[in-house]
Amino acid sequence: MTVTATRGAAGGPAGAPVAGCSGLSEALGEPMTGTAPHVRRLVAVEHIGAWPRKVADHPDPAVAALFDRLRADDVILLLIRRPGREGRCDADGARTVYVADLAPGGSRAWSRTVRSTDDLAGIDLDPGAGTPVLDPVMLVCAHGRRDVCCAVRGRALAGDLAAEGADVWECTHLGGHRFAPTALVLPTGYAYGRLDTGGALAALKAAAGGGVDPWCCRGHTGLDPVGQLAELAVREHTGIGDATALLVDAAEPSMGGDGGRPDGHLVTVRSRDGRSWTVPVTTDTTLPPRPPSCGAALEAATPLIAGTPVEH
């Protein structure tokens, strides 16, 4: 499916035709806020060679066993590699492993090295067992067997960032193909979409200072979609950039004007300095259908929409 539109943050010449799920989603104006994957713990393992469509189906028994081990504890496994030829060249066999605890307001990540995937069976996945990740790392989805847009746009972005000297890895499926290029920043835990090189570098610069760049931000992965949206709404409303400054309470249903069924959510967002805001969150049903990924059937677009935060 192809439409003609002007490209924005995803890059490309103005007025050029855009194709695939990401081009169509952008042309329709589908919002990205509140669409980050909801992940509380994550392990990313450097793996050389082809990636299957699903990590669970990896032919390497060590990777498949680690996937099953992590799934039992509700931990996500990503495969990562360096962009370009470096990421496809098995030099000395050493592998980098990241373990991330993506708690909202206090996300942390650690790294360690194993000699080969055979060592994964005995690896200590306790977060404190590794070296703390202090400088930001960006994982860019480039999982071509899951989606063409991620392969084309994700790999191009990762290559550009590597040329700029950024600490960047290609990774397997992050979710949200239609927002490609998508990325996750460690250790802050914020996800981004429709990135160009400048936007990705800005996100890394913000993370280096312990902050969040709201431009192209999809939300914090430790929060559910409603919480992601409410938190970003408060950041936009107040200009708060500190990644650890805000905490989000569980959403409560908001009732319709006639006192009938819930028509949305009310979310309380609290700042560590004592301030708090209530954010109304509703669902927009006015957008036309779009494919969630390349080659998929059309599905309804029902993005979450945040109202103006009200300070208590």
Side-chain angles (χ1 to χ4, degrees):
M1 183 175 299
T2 304
V3 296
T4 299
T6 299
R7 288 189 179 176
V18 293
C21 63
S22 59
L24 183 56
S25 172
E26 187 176 1
L28 294 177
E30 182 180 7
M32 292 191 301
T33 48
T35 68
H38 186 198
V39 179
R40 293 303 294 264
R41 292 191 64 203
L42 176 149
V43 174
V45 175
E46 182 179 5
H47 194 274
I48 307 300
W51 294 337
R53 189 175 187 277
K54 295 182 179 180
V55 177
D57 299 332
H58 204 287
D60 186 332
V63 175
L66 180 61
F67 178 88
D68 290 338
R69 172 186 170 189
L70 296 176
R71 180 172 57 179
D73 294 327
D74 200 25
V75 180
I76 299 298
L77 175 63
L78 296 178
L79 303 181
I80 59 175
R81 64 190 174 208
R82 290 298 190 186
R85 291 185 178 181
E86 180 184 354
R88 292 161 177 78
C89 178
D90 193 1
D92 57 4
R95 301 286 189 269
T96 296
V97 178
Y98 292 103
V99 177
D101 176 3
L102 302 174
S107 296
R108 300 173 295 167
W110 295 261
S111 68
R112 66 210 64 190
T113 303
V114 296
R115 292 172 298 176
S116 71
T117 56
D118 292 337
D119 292 338
L120 294 175
I123 190 172
D124 184 356
L125 296 177
D126 176 53
T131 301
V133 176
L134 302 178
D135 296 322
V137 176
M138 179 169 279
L139 310 182
V140 178
C141 183
H143 201 166
R145 291 191 177 181
R146 289 296 294 267
D147 190 82
V148 174
C149 286
C150 293
V152 175
R153 297 190 178 201
R155 288 176 186 170
L157 175 64
D160 288 346
L161 292 174
E164 293 287 342
D167 192 351
V168 59
W169 299 81
E170 295 180 357
C171 74
T172 49
H173 180 56
L174 283 178
H177 313 294
R178 63 192 185 278
F179 304 123
T182 63
L184 173 65
V185 176
L186 299 178
T188 60
Y190 283 87
Y192 293 82
R194 294 179 185 148
L195 285 167
D196 59 13
T197 306
L201 291 173
L204 285 169
K205 181 178 179 180
V212 185
D213 186 343
W215 184 255
C216 294
C217 188
R218 297 172 61 194
H220 190 280
T221 53
L223 297 169
D224 64 19
V226 173
Q228 293 172 18
L229 188 71
E231 194 229 36
L232 288 177
V234 170
R235 291 191 181 281
E236 182 179 0
H237 182 69
T238 63
I240 294 174
D242 183 348
T244 66
L246 299 178
L247 299 174
V248 181
D249 294 344
E252 297 181 359
S254 61
M255 307 307 291
D258 57 0
R261 295 180 178 179
D263 62 354
H265 298 85
L266 291 175
V267 186
T268 298
V269 179
R270 297 177 288 112
S271 173
R272 295 187 188 275
D273 65 10
R275 291 179 293 168
S276 65
W277 300 262
T278 297
V279 183
V281 176
T282 57
T283 301
D284 182 1
T285 59
T286 63
L287 290 180
R290 81 290 181 267
S293 60
C294 290
L298 294 176
E299 291 185 3
T302 55
L304 295 171
I305 303 296
T308 302
V310 177
E311 187 170 358
H312 296 179

